[in-house]
Amino acid sequence: MNTNTQWDVNKALTLASLFHFLYGAGNACTIPFLTLYFRQLGLTAPLVGIIIGLKHLVTSLWAPLCSYLAKTHNKRKVLISGSLLCSIGASLLLTVVPPLSKDIVYKYCNVSQHPHQLLMANQMPDVSVNNPSTMGISPASDDKTLSSTESLGMISKDLVTTGKPMYVTFKISSTINIPSVINGVNDGGTGIQQVTDVPPGVTSDASGKEVSPKGQMLQTAFVNRSVKPTSSPTTDIMNIKEKFEENGSSERNTNFTFYTAPVPLTETVYVFRNLSGRWERAQDVSSQLLQGTDFLDSEHQVFLMVLGAVVLWELLAAPLGWMVEDSLYEYLDFVDAAEKYGNLWIWSYLGASVGVCSVAIFVDQLSCFLSSNIPRFAVHFYGYAMLLTLTLIVSVFFPIHVSRKNEHVNKTVKALNLIGSDGRTILSAVTVFLTGAIGSTVQNFLFWQMQDQGSNELYMGLSVAIGLIAEILLYIFKSKLLKALSGGGTVALSLSCLAAQLLYYSFLWNTWAVLPIQIFCAFSNGALWWAVNMLADDIATPGTERSLHLVLQGLSCGCGASLGSFAGGFVVKSFGLAVLYRACSITLILWLILFLIVQSKLPRQKRINYSRLLAADSSDMSDSDDDKERDWLVKAMKDENFSRNW
């Protein structure tokens, strides 16, 4: 904004509020769900932890440096617009990373329609049509024996009627010569038939043609004609197994491949084809894209692609928040309205609440794949791109204050010196570092825990929104809370609430169980930072308040979150999510005890900021003789623990 124009504070605050709302909504479309996407791509917990840890590390180092360079060269306006535009393109790069297998996408995509299916998959990873009860189909009564054809018809009819996705396991041999195409089930009629659901584009015969243009069908493979038909497919499988063991020939060394493909059935088309060991032609798209690098396995190839895309995205997007906040604060401070800056985070939280719930509701209505190779999770990135495009339009009119003098004082170094000079602030810094490390495990893997219980994305979005709204509501009582408990007492309450949350997370029992405990986020996050910032203000010198807050946030959201992500992924792989949350809860309880003991031994040294007090309203100062004892100058002269700073 040109410095010669009229300063319109109300217009600037309106634009800033709209910017924060749209930018918060855009980030909420993707950031909370990122680790879910990485899980669908086939990455393990340690690899996900490394990616998120580097993401936090890049933010904490690059964002303040880039913001400082933009300020010194007066290029904030250009860099804000460029950062918004480039971050849109960088985020869309993640949508082209191929998953390790489509089966993994189907597995996690449909878990919300089958509660506890993911937990059972660890013990019984494949659900076969040989056990109709697993698909909600009642088994045949004892007084009626169904033939293979009747069983197939009953199963397919029930599946079409119920419309439930079908998880079936089919087994294909690469060495057995399966007989030619059979036009009927009982034409000589010996063999075992299995129902398979084949994804679109998968080939199964020697000619390489698709099984069906609709991509949904049932196939019958007669594996061994010497086996007589029995009353149930389960008995047929046992007979084939016994036959293989008796022969002891090359059939014993036959290699079998198991596939699981959950696809909702709306129509059933009976197609009987000859599966002559050519199934290897049906390769996943990911394996075709990753054939060039033989020195790495597929998982690490996907990991490197995701890591590169995330680091590039963070390099482009991380400085945006710092530049916007610095520019807006300097603008409001220049027009003596800096006190209004502290309430803009509410609009960001409201935007995030709307964004996270809206995208979750929309995604839950979609199929697992938008097209043959694009999973529905790409909608999260499309929503992010759309909202940031609107934010880019608003940023054109965003107020930018261009300072005519360069400030050479390094406020960050000064803030670090202030933190190191006071024992209570050191204690607060260690606390936020620890809570940042432990809180990162919640941000990274809580949705994994919910997904394992069969939760869909709507419950995940609601869990985020409830925590944000609760923090906004508690803000109304911020002054009363801090006055009643003091800074140290509020920190102790926050640590207790966070420990209770983590312990609760380790015992989740159904899809919605996480929602009630999210109210505690108002204390474990909001109240914690209000208390820490109040303690930091006690030692701040004029002009260093905001620098102190940023340094403490960097310790928590940067260094702490990075270390917690690195360590959390390996703990999840070795011990599981429940153990991770219980260990974090115990750690917080131990630190709470130590915090209370150390705090009681430290003297409180509050610095009087005279420039801030002199700027206060004269109505706050009393001239009566009875109120002279409450005058700030009298307090400063009488209290030996107070130090004075001009």
Side-chain angles (χ1 to χ4, degrees):
M1 179 177 289
N2 192 336
T3 57
N4 295 325
T5 60
Q6 182 68 31
W7 298 92
D8 192 341
V9 177
N10 292 331
K11 179 182 178 181
L13 289 174
T14 302
L15 288 172
S17 300
L18 182 59
F19 183 95
H20 280 76
F21 182 88
L22 293 174
Y23 187 61
N27 283 331
C29 285
T30 54
I31 302 302
F33 302 96
L34 267 183
T35 56
L36 277 183
Y37 181 56
F38 299 156
R39 195 184 200 188
Q40 288 187 7
L41 292 178
L43 298 181
T44 59
L47 297 181
V48 171
I50 291 173
I51 293 173
I52 301 299
L54 287 176
K55 177 178 179 294
H56 289 304
L57 196 60
V58 169
T59 302
S60 61
L61 296 178
W62 170 242
L65 176 60
C66 187
S67 178
Y68 173 77
L69 294 175
K71 178 182 178 180
T72 54
H73 294 85
N74 291 329
K75 297 296 183 182
R76 280 178 175 170
K77 193 79 170 181
V78 175
L79 289 179
I80 288 175
S81 300
S83 177
L84 284 168
L85 185 61
C86 294
S87 61
I88 293 173
S91 66
L92 294 177
L93 286 177
L94 285 171
T95 62
V96 301
V97 177
L100 286 177
S101 171
K102 287 187 177 181
D103 294 345
I104 300 177
V105 180
Y106 281 120
K107 176 182 178 181
Y108 294 113
C109 172
N110 288 293
V111 69
S112 61
Q113 303 177 20
H114 295 270
H116 305 291
Q117 184 71 35
L118 190 58
L119 293 176
M120 296 171 60
N122 295 329
Q123 299 177 355
M124 296 184 300
D126 300 315
V127 181
S128 174
V129 75
N130 299 328
N131 186 8
S133 62
T134 60
M135 295 179 290
I137 302 172
S138 301
S141 58
D142 296 337
D143 58 346
K144 181 179 179 181
T145 301
L146 296 177
S147 65
S148 299
T149 307
E150 291 171 344
S151 300
L152 180 61
M154 178 189 70
I155 293 170
S156 59
K157 179 180 179 181
D158 288 347
L159 286 171
V160 173
T161 303
T162 59
K164 294 181 179 179
M166 176 176 164
Y167 290 80
V168 289
T169 300
F170 52 92
K171 183 166 53 177
I172 300 169
S173 170
S174 60
T175 58
I176 296 178
N177 185 16
I178 301 176
S180 58
V181 178
I182 300 174
N183 295 323
V185 175
N186 296 320
D187 60 338
T190 58
I192 173 67
Q193 76 176 21
Q194 297 186 50
V195 182
T196 62
D197 187 15
V198 183
V202 175
T203 60
S204 61
D205 59 343
S207 61
K209 297 180 180 179
E210 290 188 3
V211 178
S212 168
K214 296 183 179 181
Q216 295 180 354
M217 62 195 57
L218 302 175
Q219 293 181 344
T220 301
F222 288 80
V223 179
N224 194 327
R225 299 182 63 86
S226 64
V227 180
K228 299 298 181 182
T230 57
S231 59
S232 67
T234 305
T235 309
D236 291 339
I237 291 180
M238 298 301 297
N239 290 338
I240 291 177
K241 181 179 178 181
E242 294 174 358
K243 204 71 178 177
F244 280 6
E245 292 175 353
E246 291 174 1
N247 290 342
S249 60
S250 60
E251 294 176 346
R252 182 187 298 263
N253 298 323
T254 302
N255 295 321
F256 290 93
T257 304
F258 292 84
Y259 298 84
T260 302
V263 179
L265 290 179
T266 55
E267 289 185 81
T268 302
V269 181
Y270 292 89
V271 177
F272 301 95
R273 294 199 174 187
N274 180 22
L275 303 179
S276 57
R278 300 286 182 172
W279 190 266
E280 63 273 8
R281 293 189 179 186
Q283 297 180 351
D284 191 79
V285 177
S286 61
S287 62
Q288 296 176 0
L289 294 176
L290 302 175
Q291 286 177 352
T293 53
D294 297 333
F295 60 94
L296 291 174
D297 56 24
S298 298
E299 182 181 12
H300 287 87
Q301 292 168 20
V302 172
F303 165 71
L304 290 178
M305 286 191 290
V306 172
L307 181 62
V310 169
V311 170
L312 176 62
W313 183 16
E314 202 62 21
L315 286 172
L316 296 171
L320 177 63
W322 278 74
M323 289 187 292
V324 169
E325 298 298 327
D326 286 347
S327 176
L328 182 62
Y329 181 82
E330 291 176 5
Y331 176 93
L332 295 176
D333 185 58
F334 184 79
V335 296
D336 296 329
E339 70 279 357
K340 297 181 179 180
Y341 168 82
N343 296 329
L344 289 175
W345 65 270
I346 296 177
W347 291 100
S348 181
Y349 275 31
L350 289 175
S353 301
V354 174
V356 73
C357 290
S358 300
V359 73
I361 293 173
F362 184 70
V363 169
D364 276 342
Q365 308 302 318
L366 302 176
S367 301
C368 294
F369 280 86
L370 302 179
S371 65
S372 59
N373 298 322
I374 301 178
R376 71 179 186 180
F377 199 94
V379 174
H380 288 278
F381 297 102
Y382 299 154
Y384 173 85
M386 181 186 69
L387 288 168
L388 255 67
T389 301
L390 297 177
T391 308
L392 177 62
I393 298 174
V394 176
S395 69
V396 176
F397 309 98
F398 195 80
I400 301 293
H401 172 59
V402 179
S403 179
R404 295 182 177 180
K405 61 178 182 178
N406 293 325
E407 298 180 359
H408 299 286
V409 178
N410 193 335
K411 292 184 178 180
T412 302
V413 176
K414 194 172 183 180
L416 289 172
N417 292 331
L418 288 173
I419 292 175
S421 63
D422 182 70
R424 289 178 177 267
T425 313
I426 293 175
L427 199 61
S428 299
V430 176
T431 299
V432 296
F433 177 84
L434 183 62
T435 55
I438 292 177
S440 66
T441 63
V442 177
Q443 298 171 3
N444 296 343
F445 301 112
L446 177 59
F447 285 0
W448 286 31
Q449 182 85 330
M450 295 176 66
Q451 193 177 60
D452 290 345
Q453 297 296 332
S455 177
N456 55 22
E457 291 193 14
L458 176 58
Y459 286 112
M460 300 175 188
L462 286 174
S463 68
V464 176
I466 290 174
L468 298 176
I469 297 300
E471 190 171 336
I472 294 175
L473 295 177
L474 185 64
Y475 183 71
I476 301 174
F477 308 98
K478 170 186 173 181
S479 299
K480 295 181 179 179
L481 178 67
L482 294 176
K483 183 178 181 180
L485 299 179
S486 74
T490 306
V491 171
L493 175 63
S494 301
L495 293 175
S496 302
C497 291
L498 182 56
Q501 278 184 278
L502 292 165
L503 186 62
Y504 185 93
Y505 292 152
S506 66
F507 293 103
L508 293 183
W509 61 91
N510 57 28
T511 58
W512 56 265
V514 73
L515 300 182
I517 198 65
Q518 291 302 100
I519 298 176
F520 278 25
C521 289
F523 297 93
S524 61
N525 184 65
L528 174 66
W529 280 106
W530 301 334
V532 168
N533 289 338
M534 186 183 74
L535 293 173
D537 290 340
D538 288 345
I539 64 159
T541 56
T544 61
E545 296 91 345
R546 187 165 180 270
S547 297
L548 276 170
H549 298 171
L550 291 176
V551 168
L552 292 173
Q553 289 177 4
L555 287 173
S556 175
C557 303
C559 301
S562 179
L563 180 62
S565 297
F566 290 142
F570 291 97
V571 174
V572 170
K573 182 180 180 181
S574 302
F575 304 101
L577 278 169
V579 174
L580 172 64
Y581 288 142
R582 291 167 193 169
C584 291
S585 179
I586 294 173
T587 302
L588 279 176
I589 293 174
L590 295 176
W591 174 251
L592 173 60
I593 297 173
L594 182 62
F595 176 86
L596 293 175
I597 295 174
V598 174
Q599 185 192 41
S600 63
K601 304 296 183 181
L602 292 174
R604 183 179 180 183
Q605 294 183 352
K606 181 176 180 179
R607 300 176 186 270
I608 297 297
N609 191 335
Y610 290 105
S611 60
R612 185 170 51 192
L613 291 173
L614 291 173
D617 192 348
S618 59
S619 61
D620 296 335
M621 308 300 294
S622 175
D623 295 330
S624 63
D625 295 335
D626 296 336
D627 293 334
K628 286 183 178 180
E629 291 297 320
R630 293 194 295 269
D631 187 84
W632 60 269
L633 183 57
V634 175
K635 289 182 181 180
M637 295 175 65
K638 287 186 175 182
D639 195 340
E640 296 180 355
N641 292 329
F642 280 65
S643 59
R644 293 178 280 282
N645 293 278
W646 290 95

Short mmCIF file of all heavy atoms in Angstrom, two decimals, residues 349-383:
data_model
loop_
_atom_site.label_atom_id
_atom_site.label_comp_id
_atom_site.label_asym_id
_atom_site.label_seq_id
_atom_site.Cartn_x
_atom_site.Cartn_y
_atom_site.Cartn_z
N TYR A 349 -9.06 -19.51 12.77
CA TYR A 349 -9.64 -20.71 13.37
C TYR A 349 -11.04 -21.00 12.82
O TYR A 349 -11.40 -22.15 12.57
CB TYR A 349 -9.71 -20.55 14.89
CG TYR A 349 -8.44 -20.93 15.61
CD1 TYR A 349 -7.20 -20.76 15.00
CD2 TYR A 349 -8.45 -21.44 16.89
CE1 TYR A 349 -6.03 -21.10 15.65
CE2 TYR A 349 -7.28 -21.78 17.56
CZ TYR A 349 -6.07 -21.60 16.93
OH TYR A 349 -4.90 -21.94 17.56
N LEU A 350 -11.83 -19.94 12.62
CA LEU A 350 -13.16 -20.14 12.04
C LEU A 350 -13.06 -20.68 10.61
O LEU A 350 -13.80 -21.58 10.22
CB LEU A 350 -13.93 -18.81 12.05
CG LEU A 350 -14.39 -18.30 13.42
CD1 LEU A 350 -15.02 -16.91 13.29
CD2 LEU A 350 -15.39 -19.27 14.03
N GLY A 351 -12.13 -20.12 9.83
CA GLY A 351 -11.94 -20.62 8.48
C GLY A 351 -11.48 -22.06 8.46
O GLY A 351 -11.95 -22.87 7.65
N ALA A 352 -10.58 -22.41 9.38
CA ALA A 352 -10.12 -23.79 9.45
C ALA A 352 -11.25 -24.74 9.83
O ALA A 352 -11.35 -25.86 9.29
CB ALA A 352 -8.97 -23.90 10.45
N SER A 353 -12.11 -24.33 10.73
CA SER A 353 -13.23 -25.18 11.14
C SER A 353 -14.18 -25.43 9.97
O SER A 353 -14.62 -26.57 9.74
CB SER A 353 -14.00 -24.52 12.29
OG SER A 353 -13.15 -24.30 13.40
N VAL A 354 -14.47 -24.40 9.21
CA VAL A 354 -15.35 -24.55 8.05
C VAL A 354 -14.68 -25.40 6.98
O VAL A 354 -15.29 -26.30 6.39
CB VAL A 354 -15.74 -23.17 7.49
CG1 VAL A 354 -16.53 -23.32 6.19
CG2 VAL A 354 -16.57 -22.40 8.52
N GLY A 355 -13.41 -25.13 6.71
CA GLY A 355 -12.71 -25.85 5.65
C GLY A 355 -12.54 -27.33 5.93
O GLY A 355 -12.77 -28.17 5.06
N VAL A 356 -12.17 -27.68 7.17
CA VAL A 356 -11.89 -29.08 7.48
C VAL A 356 -13.17 -29.91 7.46
O VAL A 356 -13.16 -31.07 7.04
CB VAL A 356 -11.16 -29.19 8.83
CG1 VAL A 356 -12.09 -28.91 10.00
CG2 VAL A 356 -10.49 -30.53 8.99
N CYS A 357 -14.28 -29.33 7.90
CA CYS A 357 -15.55 -30.08 7.88
C CYS A 357 -16.12 -30.18 6.46
O CYS A 357 -16.65 -31.23 6.07
CB CYS A 357 -16.56 -29.42 8.81
SG CYS A 357 -16.16 -29.58 10.56
N SER A 358 -16.03 -29.10 5.71
CA SER A 358 -16.60 -29.10 4.36
C SER A 358 -15.91 -30.11 3.46
O SER A 358 -16.57 -30.89 2.75
CB SER A 358 -16.49 -27.69 3.76
OG SER A 358 -17.19 -26.75 4.53
N VAL A 359 -14.59 -30.12 3.46
CA VAL A 359 -13.88 -31.05 2.58
C VAL A 359 -14.08 -32.49 3.03
O VAL A 359 -14.16 -33.41 2.20
CB VAL A 359 -12.38 -30.69 2.52
CG1 VAL A 359 -11.67 -31.06 3.81
CG2 VAL A 359 -11.70 -31.35 1.33
N ALA A 360 -14.21 -32.72 4.34
CA ALA A 360 -14.43 -34.08 4.83
C ALA A 360 -15.80 -34.61 4.40
O ALA A 360 -15.93 -35.77 3.98
CB ALA A 360 -14.30 -34.12 6.35
N ILE A 361 -16.82 -33.76 4.49
CA ILE A 361 -18.16 -34.17 4.06
C ILE A 361 -18.17 -34.49 2.57
O ILE A 361 -18.75 -35.49 2.13
CB ILE A 361 -19.18 -33.07 4.40
CG1 ILE A 361 -19.33 -32.93 5.91
CG2 ILE A 361 -20.53 -33.36 3.76
CD1 ILE A 361 -20.19 -31.74 6.32
N PHE A 362 -17.51 -33.67 1.79
CA PHE A 362 -17.52 -33.86 0.34
C PHE A 362 -16.75 -35.11 -0.07
O PHE A 362 -17.21 -35.89 -0.91
CB PHE A 362 -16.91 -32.63 -0.34
CG PHE A 362 -16.96 -32.67 -1.84
CD1 PHE A 362 -18.16 -32.54 -2.51
CD2 PHE A 362 -15.81 -32.84 -2.58
CE1 PHE A 362 -18.21 -32.58 -3.90
CE2 PHE A 362 -15.84 -32.89 -3.96
CZ PHE A 362 -17.06 -32.76 -4.63
N VAL A 363 -15.59 -35.32 0.53
CA VAL A 363 -14.76 -36.47 0.15
C VAL A 363 -15.44 -37.78 0.52
O VAL A 363 -15.34 -38.78 -0.21
CB VAL A 363 -13.37 -36.36 0.81
CG1 VAL A 363 -12.58 -37.66 0.66
CG2 VAL A 363 -12.59 -35.21 0.20
N ASP A 364 -16.15 -37.81 1.64
CA ASP A 364 -16.81 -39.05 2.07
C ASP A 364 -17.90 -39.51 1.11
O ASP A 364 -18.30 -40.67 1.13
CB ASP A 364 -17.41 -38.86 3.47
CG ASP A 364 -16.38 -39.09 4.55
OD1 ASP A 364 -15.34 -39.71 4.26
OD2 ASP A 364 -16.60 -38.64 5.70
N GLN A 365 -18.38 -38.61 0.25
CA GLN A 365 -19.43 -38.99 -0.70
C GLN A 365 -18.87 -39.56 -2.01
O GLN A 365 -19.64 -40.01 -2.86
CB GLN A 365 -20.29 -37.76 -1.04
CG GLN A 365 -20.82 -37.02 0.17
CD GLN A 365 -21.66 -37.89 1.07
OE1 GLN A 365 -22.47 -38.68 0.60
NE2 GLN A 365 -21.46 -37.74 2.38
N LEU A 366 -17.56 -39.55 -2.17
CA LEU A 366 -16.94 -39.95 -3.44
C LEU A 366 -16.51 -41.41 -3.41
O LEU A 366 -16.36 -42.02 -2.35
CB LEU A 366 -15.73 -39.07 -3.73
CG LEU A 366 -15.99 -37.56 -3.82
CD1 LEU A 366 -14.69 -36.81 -4.00
CD2 LEU A 366 -16.96 -37.24 -4.96
N SER A 367 -16.31 -41.95 -4.59
CA SER A 367 -15.74 -43.29 -4.72
C SER A 367 -14.26 -43.24 -4.39
O SER A 367 -13.66 -42.17 -4.29
CB SER A 367 -15.96 -43.83 -6.13
OG SER A 367 -17.33 -43.87 -6.45
N CYS A 368 -13.66 -44.41 -4.27
CA CYS A 368 -12.25 -44.46 -3.88
C CYS A 368 -11.33 -43.82 -4.90
O CYS A 368 -10.28 -43.28 -4.55
CB CYS A 368 -11.84 -45.92 -3.64
SG CYS A 368 -12.67 -46.67 -2.23
N PHE A 369 -11.71 -43.89 -6.18
CA PHE A 369 -10.91 -43.30 -7.24
C PHE A 369 -11.79 -42.36 -8.07
O PHE A 369 -12.91 -42.73 -8.45
CB PHE A 369 -10.31 -44.37 -8.15
CG PHE A 369 -9.08 -45.02 -7.59
CD1 PHE A 369 -9.18 -46.11 -6.73
CD2 PHE A 369 -7.82 -44.54 -7.89
CE1 PHE A 369 -8.06 -46.71 -6.20
CE2 PHE A 369 -6.68 -45.13 -7.37
CZ PHE A 369 -6.80 -46.22 -6.52
N LEU A 370 -11.27 -41.16 -8.34
CA LEU A 370 -11.97 -40.24 -9.21
C LEU A 370 -11.87 -40.68 -10.66
O LEU A 370 -12.79 -40.47 -11.45
CB LEU A 370 -11.40 -38.83 -9.06
CG LEU A 370 -11.43 -38.23 -7.65
CD1 LEU A 370 -10.81 -36.83 -7.67
CD2 LEU A 370 -12.86 -38.16 -7.13
N SER A 371 -10.75 -41.27 -11.00
CA SER A 371 -10.53 -41.88 -12.31
C SER A 371 -9.70 -43.13 -12.08
O SER A 371 -9.55 -43.58 -10.95
CB SER A 371 -9.84 -40.90 -13.26
OG SER A 371 -8.53 -40.60 -12.80
N SER A 372 -9.17 -43.69 -13.14
CA SER A 372 -8.46 -44.95 -12.99
C SER A 372 -7.23 -44.84 -12.11
O SER A 372 -6.84 -45.80 -11.45
CB SER A 372 -8.05 -45.48 -14.37
OG SER A 372 -7.23 -44.53 -15.03
N ASN A 373 -6.60 -43.67 -12.06
CA ASN A 373 -5.34 -43.54 -11.33
C ASN A 373 -5.34 -42.41 -10.30
O ASN A 373 -4.32 -42.20 -9.64
CB ASN A 373 -4.19 -43.27 -12.32
CG ASN A 373 -3.99 -44.42 -13.28
OD1 ASN A 373 -4.13 -45.57 -12.91
ND2 ASN A 373 -3.70 -44.09 -14.53
N ILE A 374 -6.43 -41.67 -10.15
CA ILE A 374 -6.46 -40.53 -9.23
C ILE A 374 -7.35 -40.89 -8.05
O ILE A 374 -8.57 -41.03 -8.20
CB ILE A 374 -7.00 -39.27 -9.93
CG1 ILE A 374 -6.12 -38.92 -11.14
CG2 ILE A 374 -7.05 -38.11 -8.95
CD1 ILE A 374 -6.60 -37.71 -11.91
N PRO A 375 -6.77 -41.07 -6.86
CA PRO A 375 -7.60 -41.37 -5.68
C PRO A 375 -8.41 -40.16 -5.27
O PRO A 375 -8.08 -39.02 -5.60
CB PRO A 375 -6.57 -41.76 -4.62
CG PRO A 375 -5.32 -41.07 -5.04
CD PRO A 375 -5.33 -41.03 -6.54
N ARG A 376 -9.46 -40.43 -4.52
CA ARG A 376 -10.35 -39.34 -4.13
C ARG A 376 -9.67 -38.36 -3.18
O ARG A 376 -10.15 -37.23 -3.01
CB ARG A 376 -11.60 -39.91 -3.47
CG ARG A 376 -11.37 -40.51 -2.08
CD ARG A 376 -12.66 -41.02 -1.49
NE ARG A 376 -12.48 -41.47 -0.11
CZ ARG A 376 -13.46 -41.97 0.64
NH1 ARG A 376 -14.67 -42.12 0.12
NH2 ARG A 376 -13.23 -42.35 1.88
N PHE A 377 -8.57 -38.74 -2.56
CA PHE A 377 -7.87 -37.84 -1.66
C PHE A 377 -7.37 -36.61 -2.40
O PHE A 377 -7.10 -35.58 -1.77
CB PHE A 377 -6.70 -38.55 -0.99
CG PHE A 377 -6.21 -37.87 0.25
CD1 PHE A 377 -6.69 -38.24 1.50
CD2 PHE A 377 -5.30 -36.83 0.19
CE1 PHE A 377 -6.26 -37.60 2.65
CE2 PHE A 377 -4.86 -36.18 1.33
CZ PHE A 377 -5.34 -36.57 2.57
N ALA A 378 -7.24 -36.68 -3.72
CA ALA A 378 -6.80 -35.51 -4.47
C ALA A 378 -7.74 -34.33 -4.31
O ALA A 378 -7.35 -33.18 -4.52
CB ALA A 378 -6.66 -35.87 -5.95
N VAL A 379 -8.98 -34.59 -3.91
CA VAL A 379 -9.95 -33.51 -3.70
C VAL A 379 -9.46 -32.56 -2.60
O VAL A 379 -9.73 -31.37 -2.63
CB VAL A 379 -11.33 -34.09 -3.37
CG1 VAL A 379 -12.33 -33.00 -3.00
CG2 VAL A 379 -11.86 -34.88 -4.56
N HIS A 380 -8.75 -33.09 -1.61
CA HIS A 380 -8.19 -32.23 -0.57
C HIS A 380 -7.25 -31.18 -1.17
O HIS A 380 -7.29 -30.00 -0.80
CB HIS A 380 -7.42 -33.06 0.45
CG HIS A 380 -8.29 -33.89 1.33
ND1 HIS A 380 -8.91 -33.39 2.45
CD2 HIS A 380 -8.66 -35.20 1.26
CE1 HIS A 380 -9.62 -34.35 3.04
NE2 HIS A 380 -9.47 -35.46 2.34
N PHE A 381 -6.42 -31.59 -2.10
CA PHE A 381 -5.49 -30.66 -2.73
C PHE A 381 -6.21 -29.72 -3.69
O PHE A 381 -5.81 -28.56 -3.84
CB PHE A 381 -4.39 -31.44 -3.46
CG PHE A 381 -3.55 -32.27 -2.55
CD1 PHE A 381 -3.75 -33.65 -2.46
CD2 PHE A 381 -2.56 -31.71 -1.78
CE1 PHE A 381 -2.98 -34.43 -1.62
CE2 PHE A 381 -1.77 -32.48 -0.93
CZ PHE A 381 -1.99 -33.83 -0.85
N TYR A 382 -7.26 -30.20 -4.35
CA TYR A 382 -8.04 -29.31 -5.21
C TYR A 382 -8.74 -28.23 -4.40
O TYR A 382 -8.80 -27.07 -4.82
CB TYR A 382 -9.07 -30.13 -6.00
CG TYR A 382 -8.47 -31.17 -6.91
CD1 TYR A 382 -9.19 -32.31 -7.27
CD2 TYR A 382 -7.18 -31.03 -7.42
CE1 TYR A 382 -8.65 -33.27 -8.09
CE2 TYR A 382 -6.63 -31.98 -8.24
CZ TYR A 382 -7.37 -33.12 -8.57
OH TYR A 382 -6.82 -34.07 -9.39
N GLY A 383 -9.27 -28.61 -3.21
CA GLY A 383 -9.87 -27.61 -2.34
C GLY A 383 -8.86 -26.60 -1.85
O GLY A 383 -9.15 -25.39 -1.77
#
